[in-house]
Amino acid sequence: MQIPASIQPLIEWAGEHALLFACIGSGSLLLYIAALLMIPLALRRVDPDFFVHMQEIEDGLRPPPNHHILRLMIQNFIGGCVILAGFIMLFIPGQGLLTMFLGLLLITYPGKRTMVLSIVRRPAISRGINWLRRRHGAEDLRFPDSHHKYHPTS
């Protein structure tokens, strides 16, 4: 089978840059292994009432956590790196969407609770997350009722 002339320069370029492809492949493999190890660990560490607490803070029933500014900066930086790694995993082998979701849980931004809840409440997503949590001995995540706000009793 003859290679079309239009593709020949691309094949030659790829042959000249074999080390680049080896590095990209190795990086892909490392990200994939890291995701396989870190995602279950991170999901297991999330408090089962994480989303309920987020709702209680929004409704004024619970004080917001007292975060140190340096901790928030580090957490947001790590979250950004995790989101970037998840985005890269969309194009190479890995758990891209799940990794990006974990990154979104780490960073702080307006509308975080609403967006994260809309993703996590999807049956396929919540089943997958809770399956991983049960597999590692953690309770299923609990979600606030989506149809009403929590109100303090008088």
Side-chain angles (χ1 to χ4, degrees):
M1 183 164 134
Q2 188 169 343
I3 298 172
S6 61
I7 297 178
Q8 191 62 36
L10 181 61
I11 292 173
E12 290 172 7
W13 182 86
E16 293 169 3
H17 296 89
L19 180 61
L20 173 66
F21 286 103
C23 289
I24 291 172
S26 298
S28 172
L29 180 63
L30 288 174
L31 281 174
Y32 181 72
I33 292 170
L36 286 177
L37 297 174
M38 298 303 292
I39 289 173
L41 179 75
L43 286 175
R44 182 180 63 215
R45 291 183 50 97
V46 174
D47 180 3
D49 290 320
F50 176 79
F51 296 106
V52 174
H53 295 324
M54 286 174 69
Q55 180 70 47
E56 290 171 348
I57 291 168
E58 189 173 283
D59 291 345
L61 299 176
R62 172 187 287 262
N66 185 14
H67 292 302
H68 189 267
I69 189 70
L70 182 60
R71 179 178 180 263
L72 275 177
M73 288 172 52
I74 292 169
Q75 182 176 331
N76 283 326
F77 176 76
I78 291 170
C81 290
V82 170
I83 290 171
L84 180 61
F87 181 75
I88 291 169
M89 284 184 220
L90 292 175
F91 304 101
I92 61 175
Q95 302 287 330
L97 291 176
L98 194 51
T99 304
M100 290 174 70
F101 171 71
L102 289 176
L104 290 173
L105 284 179
L106 287 173
I107 63 175
T108 305
Y109 53 93
K112 172 182 177 178
R113 186 191 71 79
T114 304
M115 190 204 61
V116 171
L117 273 174
S118 71
I119 294 170
V120 141
R121 279 190 169 138
R122 295 172 193 246
I125 302 288
S126 61
R127 273 194 312 267
I129 290 171
N130 286 328
W131 176 81
L132 272 172
R133 288 177 59 84
R134 283 190 301 269
R135 189 168 169 225
H136 292 279
E139 293 179 57
D140 286 1
L141 293 176
R142 290 181 279 278
F143 304 104
D145 184 358
S146 61
H147 302 293
H148 73 281
K149 287 186 167 266
Y150 292 97
H151 295 287
T153 55
S154 304

